[in-house]
């Protein structure tokens, strides 16, 4: 089975700060001065209230697994796709990196692991916001 | 404006092919159009409205109308993934009620087994945050199933009953891709694809297509076919909502379903037959709950023990074998959901699975990715006596 090819994200003016943050080991999301709610993925205009008064928020990069599914077939399998609910509120879609994918469970605490990317597969693209169990 | 009795489905055709290496996609659209028009007793000349989605090659309706040789005064290329064609029936009824057309043709076709097909248009705002994740439909729907199991104790065996019921129906369909009856054990022992979904929790991939003809009530009465009226319709979309609205146990059908039932003035208890989009077993389970056939979290119990099998179960579903066993042309099962509902209402389903006195049916579907952002469309159809 061949290695998994991860398409490199293409930063744009709306999202550049997010990718820059990951390069520094920080998961940066957007929050809104008008309604006080955070959102992910980052947008210029707040999806909760429509205000343009959004600003970047450095998260602690911690959260818990909302749901997950381990892909068992195809290139690079097995790998774990998951939603992680950040302590700051928003859930994000990610991959979980762990020695034992079968031990991962809903409700488990996880933390950002941007260094866990497969550099060969990504090439020159930015770091990716993978997560890993907090204990690891 | 209500859509109640605003239009009728006069023609329905499911292409018999499941593998079409020697045909073109436009040709499949044309053969489906011809089939549905012949079924209605109409011709290409009668069509004054045309509906298609992104499976139509080229410049959508502009390419296809010219290719098919149509002359229309109304077009609609609404796109909502696999459930689009359920939504097209409602949109056709809207156009007919507004006087914009009186004979609407809806076509779907594609050859995903025979050629590389582009399923997603580039430039989606979420792409940079999700493409590298490996969110295939398998993992997307797998996460929905995993969360439903976590919150409600749903089991793989219960999900398997959905596939078992579909296979019981498919054995009577000579065109079904998978006509063999399977057991709960067969499903849960099939290879794991994306936890907790096994190979037999997944639908088939097929070349093929289908078409529908939606007409005004006045025209329907002149045709030598049973009159199948639209009673109500609903549509909705749902997504992670900035990450604060994520709930993988509830689909957009929780909005489209009640809207359709309210407009129709009927309840789930009145439904004799249900066509329910079955890209995966979990897709069916969520929609059954969301449409109100059972309470949220009780779907596993509802589908177990053959309750969806025609003749023995309380709610006969997908009597053609559905996407799980029969056909899922171009990864889009919406049109076959409508087609089998029309067969049931006309009394033209396979005799072994025909529901007796089937005068009220629902067709409902999900389009897009259930575990990310998706749409839902629901229609309620009635046979006029
Ligand atoms: Zn806001």
């Amino acid at each position: 089975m061949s290695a998994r090819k991860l398409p490199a994200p293409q930063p744009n003016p709306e999202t550049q700060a997010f990718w820059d943050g990951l390069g520094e080991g920080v998961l940066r999301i957007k929050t809104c001065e008008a309604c006080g709610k955070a959102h992910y993925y980052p947008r210029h205009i707040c999806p909760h209230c429509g205000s343009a008064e959004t600003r970047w928020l450095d998260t602690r990069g911690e959260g818990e697994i909302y749901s997950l599914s381990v892909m068992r077939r195809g290139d690079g399998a097995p790998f774990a796709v998951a939603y992680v609910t950040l302590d700051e509120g928003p859930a994000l879609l990610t991959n979980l990196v762990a020695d034992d994918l079968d031990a991962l469970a809903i409700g488990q605490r996880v933390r950002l692991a941007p260094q866990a990317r497969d550099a060969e597969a990504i090439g020159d693209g930015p770091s990716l916001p993978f997560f890993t169990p907090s204990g690891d | 404006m209500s859509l109640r009795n605003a239009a009728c489905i006069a023609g329905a055709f499911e292409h018999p092919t499941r593998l079409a290496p020697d045909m073109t996609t436009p040709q499949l659209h044309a053969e489906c159009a011809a089939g549905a028009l012949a079924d209605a007793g109409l011709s290409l000349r009668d069509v004054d409205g045309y509906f298609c989605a992104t499976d139509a090659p080229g410049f959508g309706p502009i390419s296809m109308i010219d290719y098919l040789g149509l002359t229309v005064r109304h077009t609609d290329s609404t796109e909502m993934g696999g459930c689009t064609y359920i939504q097209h029936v409602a949109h056709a009824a809207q156009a007919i009620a507004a006087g914009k057309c009186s004979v609407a043709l809806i076509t779907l076709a594609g050859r995903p087994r025979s050629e590389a097909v582009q399923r997603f248009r580039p430039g989606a705002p979420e792409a940079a945050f999700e493409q590298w994740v490996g969110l295939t439909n398998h993992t997307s729907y797998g996460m929905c199933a995993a969360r439903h199991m976590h919150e409600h104790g749903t089991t793989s065996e219960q999900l398997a009953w959905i596939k078992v019921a579909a296979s019981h129906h498919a054995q009577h369909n000579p065109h079904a891709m998978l006509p063999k009856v399977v057991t709960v054990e067969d499903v849960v022992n099939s290879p794991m694809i994306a936890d907790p979904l096994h190979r037999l929790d997944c639908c088939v991939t097929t070349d093929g297509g289908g078409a529908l003809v939606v007409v005004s009530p006045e025209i329907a009465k002149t045709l030598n076919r049973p009159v199948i009226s639209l009673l109500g319709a609903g549509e909705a979309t749902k997504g992670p909502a900035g990450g604060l609205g994520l709930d993988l146990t509830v689909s957009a059908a929780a909005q489209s379903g009640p809207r359709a039932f309210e407009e129709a003035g009927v309840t789930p208890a009145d439904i004799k037959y249900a066509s329910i989009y079955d890209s995966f077993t979990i897709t069916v389970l969520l929609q059954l709950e969301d449409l109100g056939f059972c309470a949220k979290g009780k779907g596993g119990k509802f589908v177990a023990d053959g309750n969806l099998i025609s003749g023995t179960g309380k709610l006969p579903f997908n009597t053609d074998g559905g996407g799980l066993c029969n056909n899922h042309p171009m990864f889009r099962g919406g049109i076959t959901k409508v087609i089998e509902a029309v067969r049931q209402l006309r009394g033209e389903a396979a005799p072994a699975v025909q529901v007796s006195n089937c005068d009220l049916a629902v067709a409902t579907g999900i389009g897009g990715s259930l575990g990310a952002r998706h749409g839902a469309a629901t229609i309620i159809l009635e046979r006029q006596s």
Side-chain angles (χ1 to χ4, degrees):
Chain A
M1 206 162 289
S2 57
R4 201 173 149 215
K5 301 263 192 310
L6 300 174
Q10 303 294 319
N12 62 37
E14 261 187 293
T15 64
Q16 185 67 52
F18 173 85
W19 301 108
D20 292 346
L22 278 182
E24 303 154 17
V26 175
L27 181 71
R28 193 171 282 162
I29 63 174
K30 275 289 196 74
T31 191
C32 174
E33 302 285 9
C35 71
K37 292 178 182 164
H39 71 262
Y40 181 89
Y41 57 93
R43 291 111 153 138
H44 179 68
I45 301 279
C46 172
H48 304 304
C49 77
S51 167
E53 301 296 312
T54 55
R55 64 171 174 83
W56 291 99
L57 169 73
D58 287 359
T59 72
R60 295 173 57 232
E62 294 178 14
E64 71 172 50
I65 299 173
Y66 170 81
S67 194
L68 81 155
S69 178
V70 177
M71 187 67 191
R72 304 284 177 181
R73 318 293 278 195
D75 289 351
F79 59 91
V81 176
Y83 276 106
V84 166
T85 306
L86 297 171
D87 292 346
E88 288 80 5
L92 84 165
L93 193 57
T94 185
N95 281 184
L96 300 175
V97 180
D99 291 336
D100 182 6
L101 296 179
D102 292 333
L104 296 167
I106 290 173
Q108 191 174 353
R109 294 289 301 173
V110 291
R111 62 174 169 80
L112 183 70
Q115 75 282 10
R117 69 191 176 92
D118 178 344
E120 257 181 62
I122 295 175
D124 295 331
S127 298
L128 297 174
F130 285 18
F131 278 72
T132 196
S134 291
D136 287 20
Chain B
M1 184 180 80
S2 164
L3 293 185
R4 192 180 156 85
N5 293 317
C8 307
I9 299 180
F13 179 78
E14 179 184 11
H15 203 289
T17 193
R18 303 291 181 267
L19 178 64
D22 299 325
M23 301 171 70
T24 70
T25 295
Q27 175 189 357
L28 278 171
H29 276 271
E31 291 188 2
C32 291
L37 287 165
D39 180 54
L42 292 165
S43 76
L44 280 176
R45 256 186 264 283
D46 298 308
V47 174
D48 61 357
Y50 178 65
F51 291 66
C52 64
T54 52
D55 58 277
F59 213 125
I62 297 174
S63 292
M64 292 309 297
I65 286 166
D66 182 56
Y67 174 84
L68 293 168
L70 298 171
T71 306
V72 303
R73 57 193 176 103
H74 185 80
T75 69
D76 184 329
S77 51
T78 299
E79 172 58 58
M80 205 150 79
C83 68
T84 295
Y85 316 90
I86 299 171
Q87 190 182 25
H88 279 180
V89 172
H91 288 195
Q94 289 171 21
I96 289 167
K100 299 300 181 187
C101 63
S102 57
V103 176
L105 171 67
I106 303 166
T107 66
L108 153 78
R111 302 160 61 244
R113 294 179 71 193
S114 298
E115 64 184 351
V117 295
Q118 190 180 358
R119 296 178 62 185
F120 304 105
R121 285 179 278 189
E126 68 272 15
F129 299 89
E130 299 185 1
Q131 276 185 344
W132 50 268
V133 169
L135 186 77
T136 64
N137 279 332
H138 306 92
T139 48
S140 171
Y141 289 68
M143 285 193 291
C144 296
R147 186 71 199 185
H148 201 278
M149 289 175 168
H150 175 78
E151 289 191 23
H152 301 297
T154 307
T155 66
S156 288
E157 286 72 17
Q158 290 171 332
L159 286 176
W161 270 109
I162 296 166
K163 170 75 171 189
V164 171
S167 77
H168 272 265
H169 299 150
Q171 65 176 315
H172 305 292
N173 181 350
H175 301 297
M177 180 98 170
L178 302 175
K180 186 169 156 274
V181 172
V182 299
T183 66
V184 167
E185 290 69 32
D186 291 335
V187 179
V188 299
N189 291 329
S190 65
M192 190 66 83
I193 302 295
D195 300 60
L197 299 176
H198 307 80
R199 182 183 298 283
L200 295 187
D201 285 298
C202 309
C203 66
V204 298
T205 294
T206 47
D207 295 350
L212 298 164
V213 180
V214 182
V215 304
S216 67
E218 294 71 33
I219 290 175
K221 285 186 199 102
T222 69
L223 302 172
N224 190 27
R225 299 298 271 141
V227 175
I228 310 300
S229 291
L230 179 69
L231 281 195
E235 61 184 64
T237 62
K238 187 169 185 277
L244 297 184
L246 190 69
D247 182 355
L248 296 187
T249 67
V250 180
S251 76
Q255 303 164 64
S256 67
R259 282 171 193 155
F261 279 110
E262 186 187 358
E263 186 168 53
V266 301
T267 70
D270 300 319
I271 295 293
K272 304 275 181 60
Y273 165 79
S275 273
I276 303 183
Y277 201 127
D278 52 347
S279 47
F280 296 88
T281 51
I282 185 64
T283 323
V284 176
L285 188 125
L286 287 193
Q287 290 175 95
L288 285 168
E289 296 175 348
D290 293 339
L291 261 59
F293 284 103
C294 62
K296 181 52 65 181
K298 303 294 183 198
K301 192 157 182 269
F302 184 85
V303 303
D305 304 322
N307 200 36
L308 300 179
I309 298 176
S310 184
T312 56
K314 241 181 1 197
L315 183 68
F317 101 123
N318 299 7
T319 41
D320 60 335
L324 286 169
C325 297
N326 170 33
N327 196 11
H328 193 229
M330 192 58 186
F331 311 113
R332 290 169 169 243
I335 209 157
T336 46
K337 296 293 160 286
V338 181
I339 292 167
E340 183 65 6
V342 169
R343 289 192 194 109
Q344 279 288 352
L345 291 166
R346 287 174 172 175
E348 295 177 353
V353 296
Q354 175 66 50
V355 176
S356 61
N357 189 29
C358 185
D359 54 1
L360 191 68
V362 63
T364 194
I366 300 288
S369 183
L370 189 63
R373 48 200 66 71
H374 66 275
T378 307
I379 58 173
I380 295 172
L381 302 170
E382 183 181 49
R383 187 191 64 229
Q384 303 292 318
S385 48

